[in-house]
């Protein structure tokens, strides 16, 4: 097994930081490994705490039989990508509470979460080759009228309520976040009114 010999924090920002790990591979060769993290200090890194607390949340919600998506501009792509509404958990905030808040802020919709087994909603890691970020998932039904009023000025988000035909087109033709794409495949195979049966 590899060995972490030293961790150096390279940045000190609010939402994302960069760390250099001095490591020894199982072969005995020393090298550096670079990690982006939501942690604010070395002591908060999951490699140090060995705890998997959710950094953020994604929301898989249904509104009038359609799945709620956002089409968001992302700088790493210099373009738009389809995602579920999502966001970071605030200090001391449970990711399920964050899901309700984030859906309202990004889309103006009100989320009524459904109860699911923890195995479906607990925090899972996102892109583990470059970050220790993990996100919980909240499932539920959304009501109301879509609105951009709660979006931040740094966000470029279009609210999309997609039926199965549109979801199929999106998966075929558009950039889609992988966590969203997998869930949309479940949506495509579900019967109307039974979108969350796969969670039973």
């Amino acid at each position: 097994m590899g060995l972490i010999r030293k961790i150096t924090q390279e940045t000190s920002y609010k939402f994302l930081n960069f760390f250099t790990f001095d490591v020894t591979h199982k072969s005995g060769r020393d090298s550096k490994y670079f990690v982006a993290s939501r942690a604010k200090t070395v002591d908060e890194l999951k490699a140090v705490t060995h705890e998997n607390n959710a950094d953020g949340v994604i929301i898989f919600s249904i509104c009038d039989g359609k799945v709620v998506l956002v089409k968001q501009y992302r700088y790493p792509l210099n373009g738009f990508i389809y995602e579920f509404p999502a966001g970071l958990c605030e200090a001391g905030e449970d990711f399920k509470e964050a899901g309700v808040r984030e859906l309202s802020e990004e889309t103006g919709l009100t989320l009524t979460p459904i109860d699911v087994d923890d195995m479906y909603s607990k925090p899972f890691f996102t892109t583990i080759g470059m970050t220790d970020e993990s996100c919980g998932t909240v499932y539920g039904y959304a009501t109301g009228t879509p609105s951009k009023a709660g979006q931040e000025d740094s966000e470029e988000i279009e609210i999309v309520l997609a039926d199965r035909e549109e979801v199929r087109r999106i998966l075929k033709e558009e950039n889609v976040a992988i966590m969203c794409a997998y869930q949309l495949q479940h949506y495509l195979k579900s019967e109307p009114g039974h979108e969350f049966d796969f969670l039973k």
Side-chain angles (χ1 to χ4, degrees):
M1 187 170 80
L3 172 68
I4 299 171
R5 292 181 284 107
K6 178 184 176 184
I7 302 174
T8 304
Q9 184 167 350
E10 306 291 353
T11 63
S12 293
Y13 295 116
K14 183 176 180 180
F15 297 114
L16 186 69
N17 285 298
F18 187 67
F19 299 83
T20 300
F21 286 37
D22 288 289
V23 304
T24 301
H25 299 289
K26 67 177 184 178
S27 65
R29 180 175 60 87
D30 292 341
S31 70
K32 295 187 182 295
Y33 199 93
F34 305 103
V35 177
S37 178
R38 302 294 183 184
K40 293 179 173 54
T41 67
V42 168
D43 290 341
E44 295 177 9
L45 286 165
K46 292 182 174 72
V48 175
T49 67
H50 300 285
E51 296 177 358
N52 183 14
N53 297 315
D55 299 295
V57 62
I58 61 173
I59 305 104
F60 181 3
S61 61
I62 302 296
C63 183
D64 295 327
K66 298 178 180 179
V67 64
V68 181
L69 301 173
V70 292
K71 182 181 179 183
Q72 184 164 194
Y73 176 82
R74 293 293 196 178
Y75 287 107
L77 298 180
N78 192 20
F80 286 86
I81 186 169
Y82 284 82
E83 307 172 65
F84 282 131
L88 297 178
C89 299
E90 295 179 352
E93 184 180 39
D94 180 81
F95 74 83
K96 295 174 185 176
E97 296 170 353
V100 174
R101 175 181 55 77
E102 284 289 347
L103 189 75
S104 176
E105 290 175 0
E106 290 193 355
T107 71
L109 299 172
T110 299
L111 179 67
T112 301
I114 61 172
D115 290 326
V116 300
D117 191 292
D118 283 348
M119 68 181 281
Y120 297 113
S121 64
K122 71 177 185 177
F124 288 107
F125 293 99
T126 55
T127 310
I128 197 60
M130 59 183 287
T131 179
D132 66 352
E133 181 187 61
S134 66
C135 291
T137 307
V138 177
Y139 305 86
Y141 294 95
T143 56
T145 302
S147 168
K148 296 184 177 184
Q151 294 179 9
E152 298 177 10
D153 64 355
S154 61
E155 295 176 318
E156 294 182 53
I157 296 175
E158 296 176 25
I159 304 157
V160 178
L161 302 182
D163 60 16
R164 285 167 178 78
E165 182 178 349
E166 178 63 1
V167 164
R168 190 175 297 277
R169 185 200 69 77
I170 289 168
L171 288 172
K172 286 182 177 181
E173 301 176 8
E174 305 287 353
N175 289 326
V176 185
I178 193 166
M179 292 180 290
C180 179
Y182 286 151
Q183 299 284 26
L184 290 179
Q185 293 167 29
H186 286 294
Y187 173 76
L188 275 184
K189 294 298 183 180
S190 68
E191 294 296 327
H194 296 273
E195 289 84 3
F196 297 125
D197 280 5
F198 74 97
L199 298 169
K200 296 178 180 176

